[in-house]
Amino acid sequence: MELASYRRCIGQQLEELELLSSIYCGAGELQLLDAGVVADFNEFMASDAVVLRSHLEYIIKLSISGRACVDVRIELPHLYPQLELARITVHTTLLGKLKEQRLKADIDAHLAEQRDAEEAYIFQLLTWLQEHIETLMLRPESELENQQLEEEQPKAGNLERLWIYSHHIKSSTKRQEIVRQARQLDLSGFSRPGKPGIICVEGQPEQVQQYWRDIKSLRWQRITLVKTEQHQRKRFFDKFSEQLFNASDDGNDEGVMNMGQFIKFLEAHGTGYMKSELFGLV
C-alpha cells in the first residue's frame, strides 16, 4: 500500500477527531484510550516515518433521551475511512439481550454501507446511532422476535458467488487467512495459491461481501474481482479448501498450474464456464 494512502487516511482521522472534540466537549464525553497515538500520528504526518504502531481508539458517551448515557467505543484502522471500516462497539444497560443483538446487526449493516466511503463518517454514524437506540427502546420484544424468525428463514435464490483473481498468493500467513475467514463466515469454495492466485467463495450475500472486504484489505500486488454471481439457488462446493493444481508432484506450493487439472475440477463442480472468464479459454 502506498505511503500516500496512509497519510491521507491518518490526516482525515486527525481532522475528524478535532471536530468530534469540539462537539463532545463536556467532561468525560470523549475519552482517548491512548492519548500518545495522536502525537505519534502528528509525527508521522510531519516526517518521513513509515511505521505506525497503534490505532486511534476512543470512547464517546452518547446521551439517550436526555436521561442516560451509552458508551460507544470506536477503533479506527490505519486505512479508515477510504479502505477499511471503523470498528464500533456499544456498551449499554438500556437494552435487553434481544435488542442488543438487533443493535449489533444493525450497526454491522450500517457500516457495510460505508465500504465505498472516501470521507470520515463517525459523526454521522453517532447521530444515526443515537436515534436508532431511542427507536429500539420503544420497540416491543415480540416485534423483534418475529423479525429475527423471518430473517433466519432460508430464502430461495439468495446465495452469492465471487471469483477473485490475484497476481499471486505466496505468503503462508495470507493463505491461512484466506481459508480461516472463509470457514469462519460459513462460505464454501476454494483457493489456489501460487501464481496466479484464484479464490472462489459462495454463501449468504452479506458474508460473501464481508469476505471480499476483508480479503482485499490485505496487501496485494494486484487483486481483482472477476465475476459476481448473484441470486444463486445452490452451492457448487461442499466446503472451503485450498487446491494446488500443480503441474508437478514435487510438493512445491508455488508450482506452475496444471490447467487440465484445474478445468476438470471446475467442471466437476458445475463451474466449467469460468475457464473463459478467468483465462479466456473456450
mmCIF file of all heavy atoms in Angstrom, residues 47-82:
data_model
loop_
_atom_site.group_PDB
_atom_site.id
_atom_site.type_symbol
_atom_site.label_atom_id
_atom_site.label_comp_id
_atom_site.label_asym_id
_atom_site.label_seq_id
_atom_site.Cartn_x
_atom_site.Cartn_y
_atom_site.Cartn_z
ATOM 1 N N SER A 47 6.860 13.875 9.249
ATOM 2 C CA SER A 47 8.194 13.335 8.983
ATOM 3 C C SER A 47 8.130 12.279 7.897
ATOM 4 O O SER A 47 7.080 12.045 7.297
ATOM 5 C CB SER A 47 8.782 12.734 10.269
ATOM 6 O OG SER A 47 8.055 11.570 10.634
ATOM 7 N N ASP A 48 9.249 11.635 7.662
ATOM 8 C CA ASP A 48 9.323 10.554 6.669
ATOM 9 C C ASP A 48 9.109 9.196 7.313
ATOM 10 O O ASP A 48 9.435 8.163 6.719
ATOM 11 C CB ASP A 48 10.688 10.578 5.976
ATOM 12 C CG ASP A 48 10.882 11.840 5.144
ATOM 13 O OD1 ASP A 48 9.866 12.356 4.639
ATOM 14 O OD2 ASP A 48 12.022 12.312 5.030
ATOM 15 N N ALA A 49 8.593 9.175 8.533
ATOM 16 C CA ALA A 49 8.383 7.909 9.239
ATOM 17 C C ALA A 49 7.411 7.023 8.471
ATOM 18 O O ALA A 49 6.455 7.512 7.874
ATOM 19 C CB ALA A 49 7.847 8.173 10.645
ATOM 20 N N VAL A 50 7.668 5.736 8.489
ATOM 21 C CA VAL A 50 6.812 4.796 7.761
ATOM 22 C C VAL A 50 6.188 3.756 8.706
ATOM 23 O O VAL A 50 5.543 2.831 8.251
ATOM 24 C CB VAL A 50 7.600 4.067 6.654
ATOM 25 C CG1 VAL A 50 8.044 5.046 5.599
ATOM 26 C CG2 VAL A 50 8.801 3.330 7.231
ATOM 27 N N VAL A 51 6.401 3.904 10.009
ATOM 28 C CA VAL A 51 5.902 2.931 10.971
ATOM 29 C C VAL A 51 4.773 3.547 11.785
ATOM 30 O O VAL A 51 4.918 4.625 12.355
ATOM 31 C CB VAL A 51 7.019 2.448 11.924
ATOM 32 C CG1 VAL A 51 6.445 1.482 12.957
ATOM 33 C CG2 VAL A 51 8.131 1.775 11.136
ATOM 34 N N LEU A 52 3.644 2.858 11.826
ATOM 35 C CA LEU A 52 2.508 3.247 12.659
ATOM 36 C C LEU A 52 2.266 2.102 13.634
ATOM 37 O O LEU A 52 1.874 1.017 13.234
ATOM 38 C CB LEU A 52 1.266 3.498 11.800
ATOM 39 C CG LEU A 52 1.269 4.774 10.964
ATOM 40 C CD1 LEU A 52 0.135 4.737 9.954
ATOM 41 C CD2 LEU A 52 1.135 6.000 11.847
ATOM 42 N N ARG A 53 2.505 2.355 14.907
ATOM 43 C CA ARG A 53 2.457 1.261 15.867
ATOM 44 C C ARG A 53 1.065 1.041 16.465
ATOM 45 O O ARG A 53 0.726 -0.056 16.848
ATOM 46 C CB ARG A 53 3.471 1.512 16.991
ATOM 47 C CG ARG A 53 4.917 1.271 16.563
ATOM 48 C CD ARG A 53 5.867 1.609 17.686
ATOM 49 N NE ARG A 53 5.977 3.047 17.876
ATOM 50 C CZ ARG A 53 6.818 3.817 17.202
ATOM 51 N NH1 ARG A 53 7.612 3.286 16.301
ATOM 52 N NH2 ARG A 53 6.875 5.119 17.412
ATOM 53 N N SER A 54 0.270 2.090 16.576
ATOM 54 C CA SER A 54 -1.019 1.964 17.261
ATOM 55 C C SER A 54 -2.148 2.541 16.428
ATOM 56 O O SER A 54 -1.916 3.338 15.513
ATOM 57 C CB SER A 54 -0.967 2.690 18.612
ATOM 58 O OG SER A 54 0.052 2.163 19.430
ATOM 59 N N HIS A 55 -3.360 2.124 16.761
ATOM 60 C CA HIS A 55 -4.549 2.663 16.122
ATOM 61 C C HIS A 55 -5.177 3.718 17.015
ATOM 62 O O HIS A 55 -4.960 3.745 18.220
ATOM 63 C CB HIS A 55 -5.575 1.559 15.870
ATOM 64 C CG HIS A 55 -5.120 0.516 14.907
ATOM 65 N ND1 HIS A 55 -4.438 -0.617 15.298
ATOM 66 C CD2 HIS A 55 -5.249 0.428 13.560
ATOM 67 C CE1 HIS A 55 -4.161 -1.348 14.236
ATOM 68 N NE2 HIS A 55 -4.653 -0.744 13.170
ATOM 69 N N LEU A 56 -5.982 4.553 16.408
ATOM 70 C CA LEU A 56 -6.729 5.563 17.155
ATOM 71 C C LEU A 56 -7.991 4.917 17.724
ATOM 72 O O LEU A 56 -8.798 4.356 16.994
ATOM 73 C CB LEU A 56 -7.093 6.730 16.232
ATOM 74 C CG LEU A 56 -7.741 7.955 16.879
ATOM 75 C CD1 LEU A 56 -6.836 8.551 17.942
ATOM 76 C CD2 LEU A 56 -8.061 9.001 15.810
ATOM 77 N N GLU A 57 -8.130 4.989 19.040
ATOM 78 C CA GLU A 57 -9.297 4.432 19.719
ATOM 79 C C GLU A 57 -9.815 5.446 20.729
ATOM 80 O O GLU A 57 -9.038 6.056 21.458
ATOM 81 C CB GLU A 57 -8.949 3.136 20.448
ATOM 82 C CG GLU A 57 -8.603 1.966 19.550
ATOM 83 C CD GLU A 57 -8.365 0.690 20.346
ATOM 84 O OE1 GLU A 57 -9.342 0.189 20.952
ATOM 85 O OE2 GLU A 57 -7.219 0.224 20.392
ATOM 86 N N TYR A 58 -11.135 5.592 20.768
ATOM 87 C CA TYR A 58 -11.715 6.479 21.770
ATOM 88 C C TYR A 58 -13.138 6.040 22.100
ATOM 89 O O TYR A 58 -13.752 5.246 21.370
ATOM 90 C CB TYR A 58 -11.694 7.941 21.319
ATOM 91 C CG TYR A 58 -12.164 8.208 19.911
ATOM 92 C CD1 TYR A 58 -13.509 8.410 19.628
ATOM 93 C CD2 TYR A 58 -11.246 8.289 18.856
ATOM 94 C CE1 TYR A 58 -13.934 8.685 18.335
ATOM 95 C CE2 TYR A 58 -11.665 8.544 17.563
ATOM 96 C CZ TYR A 58 -13.011 8.748 17.305
ATOM 97 O OH TYR A 58 -13.424 9.009 16.021
ATOM 98 N N ILE A 59 -13.626 6.517 23.236
ATOM 99 C CA ILE A 59 -14.991 6.227 23.685
ATOM 100 C C ILE A 59 -15.758 7.534 23.752
ATOM 101 O O ILE A 59 -15.274 8.528 24.297
ATOM 102 C CB ILE A 59 -14.986 5.544 25.071
ATOM 103 C CG1 ILE A 59 -14.332 4.162 24.977
ATOM 104 C CG2 ILE A 59 -16.415 5.413 25.613
ATOM 105 C CD1 ILE A 59 -14.152 3.482 26.316
ATOM 106 N N ILE A 60 -16.954 7.528 23.173
ATOM 107 C CA ILE A 60 -17.828 8.697 23.232
ATOM 108 C C ILE A 60 -19.094 8.315 23.988
ATOM 109 O O ILE A 60 -19.684 7.257 23.731
ATOM 110 C CB ILE A 60 -18.169 9.202 21.816
ATOM 111 C CG1 ILE A 60 -16.930 9.852 21.184
ATOM 112 C CG2 ILE A 60 -19.332 10.187 21.854
ATOM 113 C CD1 ILE A 60 -17.137 10.390 19.802
ATOM 114 N N LYS A 61 -19.476 9.162 24.929
ATOM 115 C CA LYS A 61 -20.692 8.937 25.691
ATOM 116 C C LYS A 61 -21.845 9.672 25.007
ATOM 117 O O LYS A 61 -21.817 10.898 24.887
ATOM 118 C CB LYS A 61 -20.525 9.425 27.131
ATOM 119 C CG LYS A 61 -19.560 8.583 27.959
ATOM 120 C CD LYS A 61 -19.549 9.028 29.402
ATOM 121 C CE LYS A 61 -18.610 8.153 30.228
ATOM 122 N NZ LYS A 61 -19.092 6.748 30.300
ATOM 123 N N LEU A 62 -22.823 8.897 24.561
ATOM 124 C CA LEU A 62 -24.000 9.466 23.916
ATOM 125 C C LEU A 62 -25.126 9.601 24.927
ATOM 126 O O LEU A 62 -25.407 8.665 25.687
ATOM 127 C CB LEU A 62 -24.467 8.580 22.765
ATOM 128 C CG LEU A 62 -23.627 8.549 21.487
ATOM 129 C CD1 LEU A 62 -24.305 7.641 20.466
ATOM 130 C CD2 LEU A 62 -23.440 9.936 20.915
ATOM 131 N N SER A 63 -25.796 10.733 24.918
ATOM 132 C CA SER A 63 -26.954 10.937 25.776
ATOM 133 C C SER A 63 -28.201 10.434 25.053
ATOM 134 O O SER A 63 -28.477 10.835 23.918
ATOM 135 C CB SER A 63 -27.107 12.423 26.122
ATOM 136 O OG SER A 63 -28.281 12.649 26.870
ATOM 137 N N ILE A 64 -28.936 9.530 25.696
ATOM 138 C CA ILE A 64 -30.132 8.939 25.097
ATOM 139 C C ILE A 64 -31.362 9.464 25.825
ATOM 140 O O ILE A 64 -31.504 9.297 27.043
ATOM 141 C CB ILE A 64 -30.095 7.405 25.183
ATOM 142 C CG1 ILE A 64 -28.829 6.873 24.505
ATOM 143 C CG2 ILE A 64 -31.342 6.815 24.549
ATOM 144 C CD1 ILE A 64 -28.710 7.175 23.032
ATOM 145 N N SER A 65 -32.239 10.117 25.085
ATOM 146 C CA SER A 65 -33.473 10.688 25.636
ATOM 147 C C SER A 65 -33.191 11.630 26.797
ATOM 148 O O SER A 65 -34.046 11.828 27.673
ATOM 149 C CB SER A 65 -34.413 9.556 26.102
ATOM 150 O OG SER A 65 -34.750 8.723 25.012
ATOM 151 N N GLY A 66 -31.999 12.185 26.817
ATOM 152 C CA GLY A 66 -31.642 13.176 27.820
ATOM 153 C C GLY A 66 -31.529 12.666 29.237
ATOM 154 O O GLY A 66 -31.420 13.446 30.182
ATOM 155 N N ARG A 67 -31.510 11.325 29.404
ATOM 156 C CA ARG A 67 -31.514 10.808 30.777
ATOM 157 C C ARG A 67 -30.494 9.704 31.039
ATOM 158 O O ARG A 67 -30.267 9.331 32.188
ATOM 159 C CB ARG A 67 -32.895 10.262 31.129
ATOM 160 C CG ARG A 67 -33.361 9.139 30.221
ATOM 161 C CD ARG A 67 -34.776 8.691 30.599
ATOM 162 N NE ARG A 67 -35.304 7.683 29.680
ATOM 163 C CZ ARG A 67 -35.059 6.389 29.777
ATOM 164 N NH1 ARG A 67 -34.272 5.933 30.741
ATOM 165 N NH2 ARG A 67 -35.593 5.544 28.918
ATOM 166 N N ALA A 68 -29.905 9.144 30.022
ATOM 167 C CA ALA A 68 -28.951 8.049 30.229
ATOM 168 C C ALA A 68 -27.851 8.136 29.183
ATOM 169 O O ALA A 68 -28.021 8.754 28.126
ATOM 170 C CB ALA A 68 -29.659 6.696 30.148
ATOM 171 N N CYS A 69 -26.721 7.521 29.500
ATOM 172 C CA CYS A 69 -25.583 7.561 28.584
ATOM 173 C C CYS A 69 -25.268 6.171 28.045
ATOM 174 O O CYS A 69 -25.443 5.162 28.727
ATOM 175 C CB CYS A 69 -24.349 8.117 29.299
ATOM 176 S SG CYS A 69 -24.426 9.897 29.570
ATOM 177 N N VAL A 70 -24.812 6.158 26.830
ATOM 178 C CA VAL A 70 -24.365 4.940 26.162
ATOM 179 C C VAL A 70 -22.917 5.135 25.771
ATOM 180 O O VAL A 70 -22.553 6.162 25.188
ATOM 181 C CB VAL A 70 -25.230 4.660 24.909
ATOM 182 C CG1 VAL A 70 -24.621 3.533 24.084
ATOM 183 C CG2 VAL A 70 -26.648 4.311 25.312
ATOM 184 N N ASP A 71 -22.076 4.160 26.108
ATOM 185 C CA ASP A 71 -20.669 4.225 25.731
ATOM 186 C C ASP A 71 -20.480 3.613 24.347
ATOM 187 O O ASP A 71 -20.829 2.449 24.122
ATOM 188 C CB ASP A 71 -19.801 3.461 26.733
ATOM 189 C CG ASP A 71 -19.644 4.207 28.051
ATOM 190 O OD1 ASP A 71 -20.058 5.378 28.111
ATOM 191 O OD2 ASP A 71 -19.118 3.620 29.013
ATOM 192 N N VAL A 72 -19.926 4.402 23.430
ATOM 193 C CA VAL A 72 -19.639 3.927 22.075
ATOM 194 C C VAL A 72 -18.121 3.897 21.904
ATOM 195 O O VAL A 72 -17.466 4.935 21.917
ATOM 196 C CB VAL A 72 -20.270 4.838 21.008
ATOM 197 C CG1 VAL A 72 -20.007 4.263 19.616
ATOM 198 C CG2 VAL A 72 -21.753 4.998 21.247
ATOM 199 N N ARG A 73 -17.596 2.699 21.769
ATOM 200 C CA ARG A 73 -16.147 2.550 21.572
ATOM 201 C C ARG A 73 -15.850 2.494 20.076
ATOM 202 O O ARG A 73 -16.460 1.710 19.347
ATOM 203 C CB ARG A 73 -15.627 1.287 22.261
ATOM 204 C CG ARG A 73 -14.124 1.070 22.077
ATOM 205 C CD ARG A 73 -13.597 -0.005 22.973
ATOM 206 N NE ARG A 73 -12.176 -0.242 22.740
ATOM 207 C CZ ARG A 73 -11.360 -0.784 23.640
ATOM 208 N NH1 ARG A 73 -11.832 -1.130 24.829
ATOM 209 N NH2 ARG A 73 -10.095 -0.977 23.357
ATOM 210 N N ILE A 74 -14.922 3.326 19.652
ATOM 211 C CA ILE A 74 -14.600 3.464 18.230
ATOM 212 C C ILE A 74 -13.137 3.142 18.026
ATOM 213 O O ILE A 74 -12.258 3.733 18.661
ATOM 214 C CB ILE A 74 -14.900 4.891 17.747
ATOM 215 C CG1 ILE A 74 -16.403 5.198 17.920
ATOM 216 C CG2 ILE A 74 -14.474 5.088 16.299
ATOM 217 C CD1 ILE A 74 -16.723 6.644 18.058
ATOM 218 N N GLU A 75 -12.858 2.194 17.158
ATOM 219 C CA GLU A 75 -11.484 1.844 16.792
ATOM 220 C C GLU A 75 -11.316 2.068 15.293
ATOM 221 O O GLU A 75 -12.107 1.556 14.496
ATOM 222 C CB GLU A 75 -11.173 0.390 17.144
ATOM 223 C CG GLU A 75 -9.750 -0.017 16.764
ATOM 224 C CD GLU A 75 -9.458 -1.479 17.034
ATOM 225 O OE1 GLU A 75 -10.319 -2.165 17.613
ATOM 226 O OE2 GLU A 75 -8.362 -1.938 16.644
ATOM 227 N N LEU A 76 -10.303 2.823 14.936
ATOM 228 C CA LEU A 76 -10.100 3.180 13.531
ATOM 229 C C LEU A 76 -8.837 2.515 12.987
ATOM 230 O O LEU A 76 -7.725 2.851 13.409
ATOM 231 C CB LEU A 76 -9.978 4.702 13.392
ATOM 232 C CG LEU A 76 -11.169 5.513 13.916
ATOM 233 C CD1 LEU A 76 -10.920 6.997 13.697
ATOM 234 C CD2 LEU A 76 -12.467 5.081 13.249
ATOM 235 N N PRO A 77 -8.973 1.584 12.051
ATOM 236 C CA PRO A 77 -7.800 1.032 11.374
ATOM 237 C C PRO A 77 -7.045 2.147 10.644
ATOM 238 O O PRO A 77 -7.623 3.201 10.338
ATOM 239 C CB PRO A 77 -8.397 0.025 10.389
ATOM 240 C CG PRO A 77 -9.773 -0.252 10.891
ATOM 241 C CD PRO A 77 -10.232 1.008 11.559
ATOM 242 N N HIS A 78 -5.793 1.919 10.348
ATOM 243 C CA HIS A 78 -4.971 2.969 9.748
ATOM 244 C C HIS A 78 -5.518 3.464 8.416
ATOM 245 O O HIS A 78 -5.318 4.630 8.056
ATOM 246 C CB HIS A 78 -3.537 2.463 9.552
ATOM 247 C CG HIS A 78 -2.812 2.253 10.843
ATOM 248 N ND1 HIS A 78 -1.903 1.246 11.040
ATOM 249 C CD2 HIS A 78 -2.883 2.929 12.021
ATOM 250 C CE1 HIS A 78 -1.436 1.316 12.280
ATOM 251 N NE2 HIS A 78 -2.010 2.311 12.894
ATOM 252 N N LEU A 79 -6.216 2.605 7.678
ATOM 253 C CA LEU A 79 -6.689 2.997 6.351
ATOM 254 C C LEU A 79 -8.165 3.385 6.337
ATOM 255 O O LEU A 79 -8.786 3.453 5.285
ATOM 256 C CB LEU A 79 -6.413 1.876 5.335
ATOM 257 C CG LEU A 79 -4.925 1.674 5.023
ATOM 258 C CD1 LEU A 79 -4.709 0.433 4.178
ATOM 259 C CD2 LEU A 79 -4.342 2.898 4.334
ATOM 260 N N TYR A 80 -8.757 3.610 7.527
ATOM 261 C CA TYR A 80 -10.079 4.241 7.596
ATOM 262 C C TYR A 80 -9.891 5.709 7.227
ATOM 263 O O TYR A 80 -8.914 6.339 7.617
ATOM 264 C CB TYR A 80 -10.632 4.141 9.023
ATOM 265 C CG TYR A 80 -11.736 5.145 9.317
ATOM 266 C CD1 TYR A 80 -13.057 4.859 9.022
ATOM 267 C CD2 TYR A 80 -11.434 6.403 9.864
ATOM 268 C CE1 TYR A 80 -14.056 5.792 9.281
ATOM 269 C CE2 TYR A 80 -12.428 7.337 10.118
ATOM 270 C CZ TYR A 80 -13.731 7.029 9.822
ATOM 271 O OH TYR A 80 -14.713 7.950 10.060
ATOM 272 N N PRO A 81 -10.796 6.321 6.476
ATOM 273 C CA PRO A 81 -12.088 5.796 6.013
ATOM 274 C C PRO A 81 -12.083 5.246 4.598
ATOM 275 O O PRO A 81 -13.110 4.765 4.129
ATOM 276 C CB PRO A 81 -12.961 7.044 6.083
ATOM 277 C CG PRO A 81 -12.023 8.152 5.689
ATOM 278 C CD PRO A 81 -10.690 7.788 6.286
ATOM 279 N N GLN A 82 -10.976 5.316 3.900
ATOM 280 C CA GLN A 82 -11.019 5.060 2.463
ATOM 281 C C GLN A 82 -10.933 3.588 2.090
ATOM 282 O O GLN A 82 -11.513 3.171 1.088
ATOM 283 C CB GLN A 82 -9.907 5.851 1.769
ATOM 284 C CG GLN A 82 -10.049 7.354 1.999
ATOM 285 C CD GLN A 82 -9.259 8.170 0.992
ATOM 286 O OE1 GLN A 82 -8.660 7.641 0.071
ATOM 287 N NE2 GLN A 82 -9.255 9.469 1.175
#
